[in-house]
Amino acid sequence: MQTKVHLFIHKMTKLAVFVSGSGSNCENIIRYFQASEDVDVVLVVSNKPDAYALVRAANLGVPSEVVSKVKLNDAAVLMPLLGKYGVDFIVLAGFLPLVPDFLIDAFPRRIINIHPALLPKYGGKGMWGHRVHEAVKAAGETETGMTVHYVTSVCDSGEIIAQYKVPLSPDDTVEDIEEKEHKLEMEYFPKVIETVIQQL
């Protein structure tokens, strides 16, 4: 009598990080998953050729690609590029352009974004980076935080996955607010990514 042997092939999730700026979150994500047996950061994509995130990626041995607005919105260019690296999950970490619909359709519930405020407050077009923290300060908020959400065709409107909050004092400057919120990103964003991928 023959015994059937079942081989379970462990499949790693291949992650691409999309960035526009300095890439502190990008570096944090790469470092977090370096020893992971489940997630491999295979690509960093930037819409800006001078983004410091590209330097961080190179220093950590992760390939990168610069994708102009035209290329980003051209499925015939972007999809083969992602396919070349076997990308099956995308994280936006300070990526400013709107993600094209064809990409959202190709990666259903596999594109997530971080926003430096407690959505639905202080979201939408033009609300990114320092502008968000300025708006939080101007409104006299007593708390702020970070939001991780699924990406849809409407800016900052996708289903919220996780939020983390930090209290603010009236004496906090815009820079103080930014620093407090950024600490949350450094601590929690990679963990949220890991949790979402484990649930796929």
Side-chain angles (χ1 to χ4, degrees):
M1 181 178 168
Q2 283 187 323
T3 305
K4 283 187 177 180
V5 178
H6 293 279
L7 294 176
F8 293 97
I9 299 171
H10 182 75
K11 185 180 182 299
M12 289 188 84
T13 296
K14 294 187 176 180
L15 185 73
V17 183
F18 282 40
V19 292
S20 294
S22 76
S24 57
N25 265 308
C26 178
E27 178 172 338
N28 194 37
I29 292 164
I30 294 169
R31 290 188 183 280
Y32 184 85
F33 289 114
Q34 275 178 332
S36 173
E37 295 181 355
D38 301 306
V39 180
D40 185 15
V41 182
V42 296
L43 178 65
V44 171
V45 174
S46 179
N47 62 308
K48 295 186 176 181
D50 59 347
Y52 190 68
L54 299 172
V55 176
R56 294 181 193 263
N59 289 341
L60 292 166
V62 176
S64 62
E65 300 275 356
V66 176
V67 177
S68 66
K69 187 175 181 179
V70 172
K71 289 180 179 177
L72 176 68
N73 289 288
D74 187 344
V77 174
L78 190 61
M79 294 309 294
L81 175 68
L82 298 176
K84 183 172 93 171
Y85 294 92
V87 172
D88 45 28
F89 197 91
I90 295 171
V91 172
L92 309 185
F95 188 67
L96 300 183
L98 278 176
V99 174
D101 286 346
F102 70 79
L103 192 61
I104 294 168
D105 292 341
F107 290 84
R109 293 178 76 80
R110 285 173 173 263
I111 308 178
I112 65 175
N113 179 49
I114 190 167
H115 186 76
L118 297 170
L119 292 175
K121 289 183 175 182
Y122 311 111
K125 191 173 180 181
M127 291 302 287
W128 51 270
H130 211 63
R131 298 178 186 181
V132 175
H133 306 301
E134 287 172 346
V136 168
K137 173 66 177 174
E141 294 284 359
T142 56
E143 64 180 9
T144 190
M146 57 169 270
T147 302
V148 183
H149 65 93
Y150 289 106
V151 173
T152 65
S153 56
V154 181
C155 183
D156 294 334
S157 69
E159 178 190 337
I160 291 172
I161 299 164
Q163 288 186 315
Y164 295 91
K165 300 176 181 181
V166 62
L168 299 177
S169 114
D171 298 328
D172 284 335
T173 64
V174 173
E175 288 71 27
D176 293 334
I177 294 169
E178 188 166 24
E179 185 179 348
K180 285 184 174 184
E181 187 277 328
H182 194 63
K183 281 181 180 175
L184 293 179
E185 295 181 1
M186 292 294 104
E187 182 173 357
Y188 294 111
F189 194 22
K191 295 175 185 175
V192 174
I193 295 167
E194 188 172 45
T195 300
V196 172
I197 288 174
Q198 285 170 347
Q199 294 170 351
L200 290 176

